[in-house]
């Protein structure tokens, strides 16, 4: 069964059982500057789960693009990718454990409607319980009812509770036990396993987790379980690559049809299988991330992207990507996903260009950086690692890899400290600048401030949702606005932005604000500046219903005060960031 058939079968199975099919959301979470990427199918659904309803109904199913940067060190093993697709089904206050478990088992093992996997290769884990919550005996009963023998069900600790409890937990929200399905990858089959044998088989990747059902049944406040939820929810997630691996009888995800063509190309330009896996994984992830509107930079999402591209390039034999290689790799990704994500096809050229540009930039500094590294005698200090990053663009994990090859170690904690103190300094500097801009609160500056919000909203409408504010500066003469976008704006686009802003100005829109918690602000759809640390309570400024932003203010009271808006200049500011200057008159 190929990848497209597996996606379709999953969707069909749940559609037939009353679930509405949702399209994949973007990898860049909408209006949520607190998270870098969508990491699970449930993420775009959280606001609906919290409010207890979804416009499409209370049974939902989707195939969601995900990126998990936390798994970056595992890349190259059999089962982890940075980009992967998650197949999931949800119940919002509708069915609960019994149906969820019955359907998971049916879909995995049934030969007609399901994938027809070998039931004797399945192992199940459930939550063993703790001081707050009893063990999940209910799930055990439902698994037995579905057909799983009791000796294939194992009680485990915190890894079977969602969200995984942390030290000094402050989580508030729905939570509950999870049950995970594992599949035996070995040739002859492991058969019955004791608890210890099962745990060991998992560690050795002889069995692989293919699906996880979460049962939201309790409520936590400030890290403590305070009772049961009035309505229970189900959230499940199964990795497409992992399912393909077991269905196509491959021993790792790189041999499945979503990665194998890319691997064949990667192996031509890399010295080892592990390097080829890193190239294939990182270029695939980079392609999807760029297609969703991110460009390489030194902060946040852009920096994750930069690391992925640079690390892939570092693993090539020549430590650079030719335009032929880049084109071939990106086109392979596009062809592999032609049916499911057709937008990639339209963006092949743009993606290729971004990756090639980043590879070239990296090449320029790599030689110098490597020389610098050679000069360091002994283990690499935090400051050395930070200098390699800030002056030569060496991602930390690359420095670690090079050091390892030479039998040296890197003080990664020291590196993190350097990085944080650097960010602290630049944040204070930019906060100071911002205050300077608004310090006087001159009437003209207030107008420019309000106009900046309108401009931000207009750019999103005209250029797309990938637009994010990267900087802003105001004086009584003009506004300046930096935003993430990698191409020059056309004259037509500038005109469109101008006339939108002017239309809103002439619409006499009221400007108002509300104070609320950061989480509520995000839930309300307010845009924030990514990476800013906000206090407990924030102000959310609304302009009519065209703009909603987290912002300290102050602003004018009505847009009619602004006069007429005109763009004076649009230019490149830094890689992937454009700068606009505009005036009101
Ligand atoms: P693991 O312990 O194997 O890292 P997980 O517990 O982090 O998995 P979940 O958060 O439960 O995984 O995600 C649900 C499903 O998504 C998993 O059962 C698995 O099939 C898949 N999955 C999770 N992480 C990855 C990854 N990095 N690459 C591919 N598939 C993944
Ligand atoms: Mg994981």
């Amino acid at each position: 069964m190929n990848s497209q058939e597996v996606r379709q079968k999953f969707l069909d199975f749940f559609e037939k059982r009353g679930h509405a099919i949702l399209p994949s959301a973007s990898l860049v979470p909408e209006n949520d500057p607190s998270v870098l990427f969508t990491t699970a199918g449930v993420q775009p659904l959280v606001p609906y789960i919290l409010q207890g309803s979804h416009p499409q109904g209370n049974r939902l199913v989707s195939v969601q693009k995900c990126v998990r940067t936390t798994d970056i060190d595992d890349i190259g093993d059999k089962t982890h990718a940075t980009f992967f697709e998650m197949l999931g089904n949800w119940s919002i206050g509708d069915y609960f454990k019994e149906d969820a478990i019955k359907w998971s088992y049916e879909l995995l093992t049934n030969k007609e409607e399901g994938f027809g996997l070998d039931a004797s290769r399945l192992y199940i884990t459930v939550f063993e319980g703790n001081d707050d919550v009893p063990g999940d005996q209910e799930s055990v009963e439902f698994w037995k009812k579905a057909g799983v023998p009791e000796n294939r069900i194992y009680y485990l600790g915190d890894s079977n509770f969602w969200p995984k409890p942390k030290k000094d937990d402050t989580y508030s929200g729905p939570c509950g036990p999870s049950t995970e399905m594992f599949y035996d990858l070995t040739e002859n089959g492991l058969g019955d396993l004791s608890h210890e044998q099962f745990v060991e088989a998992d560690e050795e990747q002889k069995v692989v987790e293919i699906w996880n059902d979460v049962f939201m049944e309790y409520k936590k406040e400030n890290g403590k379980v305070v009772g049961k939820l009035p309505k229970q929810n189900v959230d499940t997630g199964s990795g497409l690559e992992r399912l393909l691996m077991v269905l196509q009888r491959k021993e790792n995800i790189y041999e499945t049809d979503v990665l194998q063509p890319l691997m064949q190309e990667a192996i031509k330009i890399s010295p080892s299988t592990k390097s080829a896996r890193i190239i294939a994984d990182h270029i695939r992830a980079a392609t999807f991330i760029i297609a969703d509107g991110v460009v390489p930079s030194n902060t946040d999402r852009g920096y994750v992207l930069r690391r992925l591209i640079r690390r892939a390039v570092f693993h090539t034999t020549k430590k650079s990507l030719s335009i032929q290689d880049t084109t071939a790799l990106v086109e392979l990704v596009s062809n592999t996903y032609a049916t499911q994500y057709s937008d990639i096809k339209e963006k092949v050229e743009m993606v290729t260009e971004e990756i090639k540009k980043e590879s070239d930039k990296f090449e320029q500094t790599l030689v110098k950086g490597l020389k610098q590294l050679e000069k360091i005698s002994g283990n690499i200090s935090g400051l050395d690692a930070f200098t390699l990053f800030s002056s030569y663009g060496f991602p930390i994990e690359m420095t670690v890899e090079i050091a390892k090859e030479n039998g040296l170690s890197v003080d990664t904690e020291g590196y993190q400290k350097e990085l944080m103190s650097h960010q602290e300094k630049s944040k204070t500097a930019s906060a100071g600048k911002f205050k300077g801009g608004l310090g006087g609160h001159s009437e003209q500056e207030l107008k420019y401030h309000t106009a900046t919000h309108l401009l931000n909203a207009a750019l999103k409408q005209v250029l797309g949702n990938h637009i994010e504010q990267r900087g802003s500066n105001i004086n009584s003469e003009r506004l300046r606005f930096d935003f993430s976008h990698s191409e020059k704006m056309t004259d037509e686009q500038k005109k469109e932005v101008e006339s939108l802003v002017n239309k809103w100005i002439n619409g006499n829109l009221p400007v108002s604000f509300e104070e609320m918690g950061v989480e509520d602000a995000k839930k309300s759809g307010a845009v924030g500046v990514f990476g800013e640390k906000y206090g407990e309570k924030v102000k959310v400024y609304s302009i009519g219903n065209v703009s909603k932003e987290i912002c300290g203010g102050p602003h004018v009271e009505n847009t009619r005060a602004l006069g007429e808006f005109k763009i004076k200049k649009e230019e490149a500011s830094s890689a992937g960031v454009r700068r606009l200057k505009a005036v009101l008159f």
Side-chain angles (χ1 to χ4, degrees), residues 68 71 79-81 84 86 209-212 237-239 242:
R68 287 193 180 180
D71 288 346
T79 60
H80 288 91
F84 65 98
M86 201 185 281
E209 180 194 327
I210 50 174
W211 200 350
N212 183 1
S238 173
R242 303 229 184 138

Side-chain angles (χ1 to χ4, degrees), residues 281-384:
D281 173 82
H282 288 12
I283 295 294
R284 179 174 72 149
T287 300
F288 275 95
I289 292 172
I290 297 169
D292 275 347
V294 180
V295 286
S297 74
N298 258 353
T299 52
D300 313 319
R301 293 180 188 120
Y303 183 53
V304 171
L305 175 60
R306 168 158 286 170
R307 274 160 66 192
L308 288 169
I309 299 173
R310 293 191 172 199
R311 189 153 176 260
V313 174
F314 184 73
H315 277 274
T316 61
T317 346
K318 292 190 184 143
K319 310 273 185 254
S320 75
L321 275 174
S322 71
I323 188 67
Q324 289 82 358
D325 293 337
T326 319
T327 311
L329 289 166
V330 175
E331 272 182 357
L332 277 169
V333 180
S334 159
N335 292 343
T336 303
Y337 292 96
T339 322
Q340 187 68 7
Y341 306 104
S342 53
D343 64 310
I344 304 275
K345 187 134 218 112
E346 293 149 31
K347 293 172 185 158
V348 161
E349 255 176 66
M350 190 265 283
V351 173
T352 308
E353 212 173 286
E354 286 294 348
I355 294 180
K356 175 73 177 124
K357 258 199 305 199
E358 187 57 29
S359 166
D360 289 350
K361 256 191 213 149
F362 179 55
E363 215 185 323
Q364 282 167 19
T365 58
L366 182 67
V367 180
K368 285 188 220 153
L370 285 174
K371 278 212 185 100
Q372 187 66 23
L373 241 175
E374 272 167 25
K375 281 192 213 148
I376 301 168
S377 55
N379 291 335
I380 297 165
S381 72
L383 184 61
D384 287 335

